[in-house]
Amino acid sequence: MTVTSETFSHDGYAEAVEAYFDAGYTDGLPVIPPTAEATEAMLAAAGLDGPEVLGEVPTRNIAVTAEKAAINAVMAGCLPEYFPAVVASVRALLQPLANCHSTTATLAGAAHAVVVNGPVRERVGIVSGQACMGPGFRANATIGRALRLVVRNVCRTVPGVLDRASFSWPLRYSFCFGENEEYSDWTPLHVLEGYERDDSVVTVMSVMRLLQATEFAPESEAILATISETARLYGMLTDAFVGDARSVMVVVGVEHHRRLLDDGWTKEAVRETLFERMTKPTLGKYDSEVILAEPANVVVVAAGGPGMAQSQLIMPHLAAPTHERV
Amino acid sequence: MPLITLDPTNGPFGASRTIAMAPRPATLKGQTLGIVANGLGRSEVMFDALAEQLTKWDDLAGAIKVVKPSVAVPPWPEQWAEITEHATVAVTGFGGCGSCSTRSMRDALDLEAAGIPAVCLVHTALVPAVQALCRLVGAADYPFVVVEYPYNPTGMWSVDECNAMAIDVLDAVRIRLTA
């Protein structure tokens, strides 16, 4: 397996790190200098040849190859065993309904959540529990970062150029977490999407807003009401391109999850109820309809740690959640 | 011993190939204007006003308009077929974000490749993005029409502003679409 990318020569490691800053190849943080050996180890871990095309951004005439994804995964700090998940997230982002050009060049500054299901979580250490959306976990941090570096370096989404975000936001550094499939017998996201439980699957979801739904009341009714009211603060319009695939993601925290279980709520029943409430007609500026086609468009995921009685809502940009097997 | 590392990009920014521009008519008289609108705000009102002005002053034969299914995607195939079958010149745009403006530029370049003279309307706030897209796809010098402030970039203009903007860009659109 031989890589074919152009090479750069540096006097040493520190010089290489600085050279990548100078060339504009980083997200503002230092990167691991990508050697041929490290890149080939990534490709070997995924069983891919460098020239294999993972997907394209047609508006930009860009094709993302496995080799370029591997180089950026090295730079992000990934271990080789993470690379299959990186490949799946790149492929998911480059599916048409992920609308890569729109979600990465927008003034609104959308980010992307990478949600991982299946055995790969345990195999490589993707965290789904306490603090899973934040810093501290190499697999979460570097898989999410690798996707963003591909978006930057291969898809050319650089601030001031094709990244036109007026503010941008911290989720664009990295945003990857697992679903906590072990907490209860709720059906995992990938199984609801038609995969086998033993499959490992990545879901990529554009993130226009990340809203916290905090409800301390113990009643399931109050929890579901607060989640739907939070989604309705801004509502969501239709988009003819995304069509019936337009979805919101509800990441149910442990305290809410526990109380819902106590009252016998399945994941399927939760999404049915939230769909019904979110899609009621608009009543005012901060009580707006979330226009969805069916209950399956309320994508319910379990994650997070104990303590705070909170769930998270991921409201999308002009894209649908897309899935790829790892 | 030197440390050898790899280029993480697709190569130098800016393709070497170029997109050929479609041959321009001498005037717009008798031409059919294709409008590829991204649907932002009241951009349709502005485009309708532009078509009205070109009909009034240039004897345009008519106009045909499609509104894309989302702000930063290509037209549906049937919309593309409608435009390329009937339009002899075209305008694309307008307003909105970096992805909307760059996609509208790509629409214009695709029309040129299909043999239809085109021009993209771009807000001055998004000029760097559009220029980057042009470089990326091998059309670095492709001309476009810039709309300046006080019109805001994101398409939420009043009807009066739409009509005023159509008059503001009229000469520039005419120049870009004719030889």
Side-chain angles (χ1 to χ4, degrees):
Chain A
M1 199 174 293
T2 306
V3 293
T4 58
S5 292
E6 186 182 350
T7 58
F8 309 127
S9 179
H10 315 275
D11 291 338
Y13 190 93
E15 288 78 7
V17 171
E18 290 304 317
Y20 276 62
F21 275 120
D22 293 344
Y25 295 157
T26 93
D27 50 12
L29 298 170
V31 295
I32 305 296
T35 62
E37 294 76 16
T39 302
E40 287 164 358
M42 291 284 169
L43 292 168
L48 291 171
D49 292 327
E52 184 167 333
V53 174
L54 304 182
E56 299 181 8
V57 190
T59 293
R60 305 179 191 179
N61 286 359
I62 282 172
V64 180
T65 63
E67 179 171 324
K68 292 301 178 185
I71 293 169
N72 282 279
V74 173
M75 291 166 60
C78 287
L79 294 172
E81 54 263 41
Y82 302 170
F83 190 55
V86 174
V87 168
S89 55
V90 171
R91 283 181 165 143
L93 178 63
L94 299 180
Q95 287 185 27
L97 278 177
N99 209 354
C100 178
H101 176 68
S102 183
T103 58
T104 61
T106 172
L107 292 179
H112 293 89
V114 178
V115 184
V116 186
N117 280 95
V120 70
R121 293 165 306 133
E122 185 174 356
R123 196 161 64 236
V124 306
I126 296 167
V127 172
S128 60
Q130 196 256 322
C132 63
M133 290 186 176
F137 312 109
R138 182 172 182 177
N140 296 39
T142 61
I143 291 168
R145 189 187 187 200
L147 179 64
R148 293 308 311 186
L149 287 177
V150 168
V151 167
R152 178 187 178 91
N153 289 325
V154 193
C155 303
R156 306 293 196 175
T157 313
V158 177
V161 190
L162 283 179
D163 174 357
R164 302 310 307 176
S166 293
F167 286 92
S168 202
W169 63 334
L171 290 184
R172 279 189 161 187
Y173 282 104
S174 175
F175 189 25
C176 171
F177 61 96
E179 176 166 18
N180 188 347
E181 300 174 26
E182 292 72 28
Y183 184 79
S184 74
D185 61 357
W186 274 10
T187 312
L189 168 60
H190 67 307
V191 177
L192 286 171
E193 293 297 329
Y195 294 91
E196 297 297 324
R197 188 176 280 267
D198 287 343
D199 288 336
S200 292
V201 176
V202 158
T203 298
V204 167
M205 171 90 178
S206 67
V207 189
M208 187 76 161
R209 294 188 175 95
L210 182 65
L211 302 172
Q212 298 176 338
T214 304
E215 178 53 67
F216 295 102
E219 297 82 11
S220 296
E221 165 59 30
I223 292 167
L224 294 172
T226 296
I227 291 172
S228 60
E229 287 165 10
T230 303
R232 292 175 62 88
L233 281 173
Y234 299 98
M236 189 173 73
L237 300 174
T238 54
D239 181 79
F241 175 74
V242 184
D244 289 349
R246 201 139 162 75
S247 301
V248 298
M249 183 176 283
V250 180
V251 186
V252 178
V254 166
E255 299 300 336
H256 287 172
H257 193 163
R258 179 169 62 83
R259 303 225 182 247
L260 290 165
L261 287 173
D262 288 345
D263 289 339
W265 284 88
T266 63
K267 189 186 270 192
E268 290 83 348
V270 167
R271 66 182 189 180
E272 290 268 354
T273 297
L274 290 176
F275 169 78
E276 183 184 321
R277 295 177 184 207
M278 288 180 183
T279 55
K280 285 183 177 172
T282 296
L283 294 177
K285 185 174 182 183
Y286 294 112
D287 184 44
S288 299
E289 180 178 358
V290 180
I291 301 176
L292 300 168
E294 58 178 336
N297 298 120
V298 181
V299 178
V300 178
V301 172
M308 194 66 178
Q310 195 171 69
S311 294
Q312 305 280 341
L313 278 143
I314 296 177
M315 308 299 284
H317 189 253
L318 301 173
T322 50
H323 316 279
E324 282 285 343
R325 198 189 308 268
V326 175
Chain B
M1 187 169 151
L3 177 64
I4 307 299
T5 63
L6 301 174
D7 182 354
T9 74
N10 276 0
F13 196 102
S16 55
R17 62 189 180 284
T18 55
I19 291 178
M21 288 175 64
R24 263 60 182 161
T27 74
L28 293 179
K29 183 175 182 179
Q31 303 293 326
T32 298
L33 179 70
I35 299 170
V36 180
N38 63 18
L40 269 158
R42 293 193 174 93
S43 57
E44 280 187 74
V45 176
M46 186 275 296
F47 277 127
D48 290 344
L50 178 62
E52 191 178 314
Q53 290 293 324
L54 289 171
T55 302
K56 178 179 177 182
W57 297 108
D58 295 74
D59 288 335
L60 202 65
I64 181 169
K65 180 177 67 184
V66 298
V67 181
K68 298 192 296 178
S70 189
V71 293
V73 300
W76 290 130
E78 56 270 28
Q79 293 178 320
W80 179 252
E82 188 178 8
I83 288 288
T84 53
E85 282 172 20
H86 300 291
T88 55
V89 294
V91 290
T92 71
F94 170 67
C97 60
S99 58
C100 320
S101 299
T102 45
R103 182 57 235 184
S104 287
M105 173 53 75
R106 181 60 198 246
D107 294 337
L109 295 170
D110 288 346
L111 286 160
E112 297 281 359
I116 299 171
V119 63
C120 181
L121 272 55
V122 180
H123 193 277
T124 189
L126 282 313
V127 165
V130 165
Q131 289 174 329
L133 190 279
C134 287
R135 289 202 312 277
L136 196 56
V137 300
D141 299 325
Y142 184 69
F144 49 91
V145 171
V146 178
V147 177
E148 305 282 352
Y149 289 105
Y151 303 114
N152 78 49
T154 49
M156 303 309 292
W157 317 291
S158 68
V159 171
D160 286 347
E161 284 180 309
C162 290
N163 292 330
M165 194 187 309
I167 292 170
D168 287 352
V169 301
L170 186 61
D171 287 344
V173 166
R174 182 186 296 118
I175 289 167
R176 297 296 180 218
L177 291 180
T178 54

